[in-house]
Amino acid sequence: MLITCYNPTELGDILLVVLAADVSEQRVSQKNNIIQFSDSVSGQPIGYNILHASELLPNLTGNGRIQLNNEQLQCLNAALQQAGFNTEVKFDQRPRFVVGLIEKLEDHPNSNHLHIAQVQVEDQHKLQIVCGAPNVAAGQIVVVAEPGAMMPNGEIIWPGELRGVASAGMICSARELGLPNAPQKRGILVLPADEYQPGTPFDLAKHQAVK
């Protein structure tokens, strides 16, 4: 998984590189202009802060989550190797916002308002997602933020548990997706079944631009 964020106005000339979810016990080390965050238990890197990033990566621009091009990715890996970090980051272009079909819905055993949804996404793959929206129902076509998705507010979606039940992803509301004229109340976005096919990417930028 590779998530890269660049916001020079707010953070300065720092590229944030996220490879995995945060852990409670982290080890932090710095070499040259690169700070590595790793899991203290497994030793696996979970992310990097690249200082003076525009000096390392050519034509680095953006404000928020960005997609590095091939040249920038090569420069990033070269900088990591030169600094002595034995890590190679790779492209992860799989869409994280997809259209899903809620195939099954059941009550959460430890909650009076949460539900456990079995959601079909791409390639007939299914995700179990705990959802508390009041309008969620089986048979709906919805927008799913899969693990690794970055929401418009900067939150990254990771697998986890809600009241003891595993949940991998989020069924999204229009407000959470930052869509124009989104209702300012609780409730997931339900898509027209005749316009959206389960398993297809949901182009968030395109829908955000619609007025």
Side-chain angles (χ1 to χ4, degrees):
M1 189 174 297
L2 173 62
I3 298 172
T4 47
C5 302
Y6 186 61
N7 189 343
T9 302
E10 298 294 331
L11 301 178
D13 191 14
I14 301 174
L15 178 70
L16 307 182
V17 179
V18 180
L19 303 177
D22 279 342
V23 294
S24 58
E25 296 184 17
Q26 296 183 14
R27 182 169 65 243
V28 181
S29 57
Q30 180 171 356
K31 299 178 182 179
N32 298 341
N33 289 322
I34 301 178
I35 302 172
Q36 182 189 68
F37 302 88
S38 57
D39 186 328
S40 295
V41 177
S42 68
Q44 293 297 313
I46 60 175
Y48 294 92
N49 285 357
I50 312 299
L51 312 181
H52 307 294
S54 64
E55 299 176 13
L56 292 175
L57 309 183
N59 303 313
L60 184 63
T61 59
N63 183 20
R65 183 172 184 174
I66 63 172
Q67 182 72 48
L68 299 181
N69 60 36
N70 188 62
E71 181 183 9
Q72 291 169 334
L73 190 65
Q74 289 179 352
C75 290
L76 174 58
N77 280 317
L80 290 171
Q81 294 294 321
Q82 185 176 6
F85 292 115
N86 187 26
T87 303
E88 180 181 5
V89 296
K90 299 179 180 180
F91 279 121
D92 185 359
Q93 297 183 347
R94 185 164 65 88
R96 298 295 177 178
F97 292 95
V98 299
V99 177
L101 167 65
I102 301 178
E103 292 191 334
K104 182 180 178 182
L105 193 72
E106 58 184 341
D107 293 338
H108 192 297
N110 302 316
S111 170
N112 59 8
H113 73 281
L114 295 175
H115 302 278
I116 305 170
Q118 305 298 329
V119 187
Q120 177 195 325
V121 289
E122 70 276 12
D123 300 326
Q124 302 297 313
H125 179 57
K126 294 182 182 180
L127 296 175
Q128 177 172 287
I129 301 175
V130 177
C131 179
N135 64 327
V136 65
Q140 291 173 330
I141 303 295
V142 295
V143 180
V144 175
E146 293 193 4
M150 175 176 281
M151 304 300 294
N153 66 0
E155 177 188 3
I156 300 175
I157 304 300
W158 299 109
E161 289 189 357
L162 285 175
R163 298 197 180 183
V165 174
S167 182
M170 182 171 73
I171 302 174
C172 303
S173 69
R175 180 174 58 179
E176 290 165 333
L177 294 170
L179 302 186
N181 304 314
Q184 298 303 302
K185 61 181 181 180
R186 294 180 65 236
I188 59 171
L189 174 64
V190 180
L191 301 173
D194 58 345
E195 297 180 19
Y196 292 87
Q197 181 69 29
T200 57
F202 183 83
D203 190 335
L204 184 57
K206 177 181 177 181
H207 285 80
Q208 288 173 332
V210 174
K211 301 298 183 182

